[in-house]
Amino acid sequence: MKGLLYFLLSFVISITAVNTAVNAQKENPVNYLSCLPAGLTLDRSVARSYRMTTDYYNFDLKSNFSEKNRLTGSIIYTGDSALWKDVYYAESDALGAAFPTGIKKNFLQNFKYRPDEKVLTAEFFKNNLPEAAPLIMNLIWDALAFDALAYCCWDSLKLGKEFSPQEMNSEVKLADIGTFENKDIKITWLGITEINNEICAIS
């Protein structure tokens, strides 16, 4: 079987939460359309949370659909720690049908760890999450990549223009189950919005 992963990564990142000393631009959100604030640092005293959803569509070598899988979960960052809540796994053999709610992965409920390069190792899962199958591992790795991409390129993004962070294009070993190669990552700053009274950049 040949598995194809359709992966659309979208960021909605709070500008003001990243650095509270943002200057007068905070008073006029339209100013953010000319450029994002430079030299921002992540304020780790402010909790951040994402709802991660990853869909997998599986086809055979003749492009016949076989099944699809979905993993969803909420990840909360506080300080240098990450914590998962409400992780569900769902599957379906109907290409056009909506995903069911799925099964809650209770072993991930309140799972807390330090999100760093150690999560790429087999030892991390053996010692902390032995129940994790490859798709669960992928969810944790996707969250790590999401967070890195969300904050790595502030100074380089221009409205409506693709940016390619070359330093992130590389082959990565994944917990002794294989490798994954990022070949041509592209990020586009699409605009700004306001969520919960905070100015946010959309990429």
Side-chain angles (χ1 to χ4, degrees):
M1 303 296 286
K2 182 179 180 182
L4 299 179
L5 167 62
Y6 290 82
F7 187 59
L8 176 61
L9 193 59
S10 177
F11 309 134
V12 180
I13 303 300
S14 170
I15 294 172
T16 54
V18 175
N19 187 337
T20 55
V22 184
N23 70 40
Q25 284 184 325
K26 187 174 180 182
E27 302 300 324
N28 186 3
V30 175
N31 289 338
Y32 284 123
L33 292 177
S34 60
C35 65
L36 291 170
L40 296 182
T41 56
L42 183 60
D43 184 353
R44 296 188 181 277
S45 68
V46 177
R48 299 171 289 123
S49 63
Y50 309 130
R51 184 68 179 168
M52 299 289 298
T53 299
T54 307
D55 293 345
Y56 298 83
Y57 289 78
N58 301 302
F59 300 79
D60 63 22
L61 294 177
K62 295 183 178 180
S63 298
N64 297 308
F65 172 76
S66 59
E67 65 174 2
K68 60 184 181 180
N69 318 98
R70 169 173 286 182
L71 272 166
T72 61
S74 295
I75 185 168
I76 303 166
Y77 293 94
T78 306
D80 292 326
S81 297
L83 181 142
W84 285 96
K85 286 184 175 292
D86 300 325
V87 177
Y88 285 83
Y89 170 77
E91 59 184 31
S92 173
D93 58 7
L95 180 60
F99 277 100
T101 301
I103 300 171
K104 189 173 184 179
K105 295 296 182 179
N106 291 317
F107 68 88
L108 271 172
Q109 185 71 6
N110 296 318
F111 174 59
K112 189 175 183 179
Y113 62 100
R114 185 185 178 95
D116 57 24
E117 67 278 358
K118 291 182 180 178
V119 305
L120 300 173
T121 67
E123 289 74 18
F124 172 83
F125 291 98
K126 180 180 178 180
N127 297 330
N128 301 288
L129 215 60
E131 307 95 327
L135 292 188
I136 294 292
M137 295 178 181
N138 279 340
L139 182 67
I140 291 174
W141 296 329
D142 286 345
L144 186 68
F146 180 98
D147 208 48
L149 287 168
Y151 295 102
C152 74
C153 307
W154 281 95
D155 294 352
S156 302
L157 298 182
K158 305 296 182 183
L159 186 64
K161 296 181 179 179
E162 283 188 347
F163 174 72
S164 186
Q166 295 298 318
E167 69 277 8
M168 301 193 74
N169 291 328
S170 62
E171 188 174 81
V172 182
K173 292 184 178 179
L174 300 174
D176 293 343
I177 63 173
T179 61
F180 179 85
E181 184 176 2
N182 295 308
K183 288 188 174 182
D184 191 18
I185 294 176
K186 295 184 185 299
I187 305 173
T188 303
W189 173 29
L190 301 176
I192 61 171
T193 188
E194 185 175 334
I195 299 176
N196 297 328
N197 297 316
E198 291 189 353
I199 303 166
C200 299
I202 306 172
S203 294

